[in-house]
């Protein structure tokens, strides 16, 4: 089992406001929508997103609830061309996006903005992929060895890169045969035994597979958590959790 990340889900308090923000500032378009009695899911991505590009899922619950951001989820990262970090950030500022962490404050290597609900969005320089396409999703983990083992054993992911500093380490994970445009998961480990609050403003990562039942059977053989099995989800998808409680959905192309 070695499948790419299909999407990342976040919850929003005002769907119209969020859709306007992502379509206006990141030039996203609607790729799919699912309307239920109590919630709406909308999938977004760049117009020229490729087959292996992950999408952003916005979930809006119809009961007007509010959400806690927590700190176990960090951010999503979107790509811009290598020479367009500053100009892309300046454009967002001109459009009224919140000035959170500009390129200069990050040694002109990356920048951060926030969406209307406070989800952090990193802007990274890449020489591949559609502009504004999803590059990675960052989650914080309490035990680096355990987290690396989870993604390696359960999903057959491997390191694509790592960065270690005096106080924290970042590990990027993806399937060995994934294209460079596929979204990676960034595992951030802060030294010192920190613990985190999941909150509920972030929902899940989703892994795409060809055969749901086979993938689920493999996960169970590898002792993944049996959170929501395919049968309980009408055999359309399933959910497990990592060692820190981050939810991971298993989906198919259908």
């Amino acid at each position: 089992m070695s499948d790419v990340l299909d999407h990342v889900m976040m919850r929003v308090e005002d769907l119209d406001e969020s859709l306007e923000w992502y379509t206006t500032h990141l030039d996203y378009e609607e790729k799919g929508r699912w309307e239920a009695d109590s919630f709406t899911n909308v999938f977004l991505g760049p117009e020229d997103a490729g087959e292996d590009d992950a999408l952003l899922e916005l979930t809006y619950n119809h009961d007007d609830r509010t959400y806690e951001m927590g700190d176990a989820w960090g951010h999503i990262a979107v790509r811009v061309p290598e020479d367009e970090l500053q100009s892309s950030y300046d454009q967002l500022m001109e459009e009224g996006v919140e000035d959170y962490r500009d390129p200069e404050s990050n040694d002109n290597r990356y920048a951060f903005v926030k969406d209307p609900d406070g989800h952090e969005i990193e802007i990274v320089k890449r020489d591949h992929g559609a502009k504004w396409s999803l590059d990675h999703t960052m989650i914080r983990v309490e035990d680096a060895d355990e987290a690396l083992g989870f993604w390696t054993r359960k999903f057959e992911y491997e390191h694509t890169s790592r960065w270690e500093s005096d106080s924290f380490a970042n590990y990027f994970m993806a399937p060995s045969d994934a294209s460079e445009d596929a979204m990676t998961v960034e595992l951030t480990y802060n030294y010192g035994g920190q613990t985190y609050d999941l909150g509920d403003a972030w929902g899940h990562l989703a892994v795409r597979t060809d055969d749901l039942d086979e993938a689920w059977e493999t996960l169970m053989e590898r002792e993944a958590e049996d959170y929501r099995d395919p049968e309980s989800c009408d055999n359309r998808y399933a959910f497990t959790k990592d060692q820190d409680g981050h939810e991971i959905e298993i989906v198919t192309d259908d």
Side-chain angles (χ1 to χ4, degrees):
M1 179 181 179
S2 180
D3 301 296
V4 298
L5 291 167
D6 182 81
H7 64 266
V8 55
M9 187 273 266
M10 57 176 62
R11 298 183 179 93
V12 299
E13 296 182 5
D14 186 321
L15 182 59
D16 290 337
E17 182 181 19
S18 294
L19 288 174
E20 181 178 4
W21 195 93
Y22 281 98
T23 56
T24 298
H25 302 307
L26 301 190
D27 295 325
Y28 278 13
E29 66 177 18
E30 189 169 319
K31 301 292 189 179
R33 178 183 289 245
W34 186 39
E35 299 274 2
D37 292 337
S38 59
F39 65 90
T40 300
N41 295 336
V42 180
F43 294 86
L44 301 172
E47 179 181 0
D48 52 350
E51 180 180 350
D52 286 337
D53 282 330
L55 298 179
L56 175 64
E57 177 187 0
L58 302 181
T59 291
Y60 171 66
N61 289 294
H62 300 168
D63 55 5
D64 295 325
R65 71 183 72 178
T66 59
Y67 302 103
E68 295 294 330
M69 193 60 61
D71 56 4
W73 293 82
H75 60 260
I76 57 172
V78 296
R79 305 177 180 115
V80 297
E82 292 274 1
D83 59 350
E84 293 185 19
L85 176 61
Q86 188 64 56
S87 62
S88 297
Y89 193 83
D90 290 343
Q91 176 186 336
L92 293 175
M93 296 303 99
E94 292 172 3
E95 294 170 352
V97 173
E98 180 180 349
D99 182 4
Y100 180 42
R101 295 173 60 188
D102 64 16
E104 185 177 0
S105 67
N106 295 293
D107 298 324
N108 293 304
R109 294 184 295 118
Y110 52 85
F112 278 87
V113 297
K114 290 184 179 181
D115 76 1
D117 291 279
H119 301 100
E120 295 184 15
I121 302 168
E122 184 181 14
I123 306 167
V124 296
K125 298 187 288 186
R126 295 290 185 264
D127 61 2
H128 60 85
K131 185 174 183 179
W132 304 123
S133 60
L134 289 170
D135 183 78
H136 63 266
T137 294
M138 188 273 267
I139 58 177
R140 296 184 178 93
V141 300
E142 297 181 6
D143 185 313
D145 292 335
E146 192 174 357
L148 290 167
F150 175 89
W151 285 96
T152 300
R153 180 167 182 247
K154 305 298 192 292
F155 290 102
E156 299 175 27
Y157 277 30
E158 63 178 27
H159 291 112
T160 59
S161 63
R162 69 167 66 192
W163 188 60
E164 296 177 327
S165 74
D166 293 337
S167 59
F168 68 92
N170 296 332
Y171 304 95
F172 294 84
M173 307 290 290
S176 59
D177 57 351
S179 76
E180 63 180 0
D181 292 343
M183 183 174 72
T184 61
V185 56
E186 175 188 0
L187 309 176
T188 291
Y189 173 63
N190 291 294
Y191 308 153
Q194 295 189 35
T195 59
Y196 302 103
D197 176 14
L198 285 167
D200 57 3
W202 294 86
H204 59 260
L205 286 165
V207 173
R208 185 193 312 158
T209 188
D210 293 328
D211 189 311
L212 178 60
D213 290 331
E214 181 179 334
W216 187 254
E217 182 179 348
T218 298
L219 286 172
M220 294 302 98
E221 290 174 351
R222 295 173 180 173
E223 302 173 295
E225 180 174 342
D226 183 356
Y227 179 43
R228 296 173 61 189
D229 65 15
E231 185 177 0
S232 69
C233 300
D234 297 325
N235 294 303
R236 293 184 293 117
Y237 50 85
F239 278 88
T240 186
K241 291 183 180 182
D242 73 3
Q243 71 293 328
D244 292 293
H246 301 99
E247 295 183 14
I248 303 167
E249 184 181 16
I250 316 301
V251 299
T252 64
D253 287 326
D254 298 336

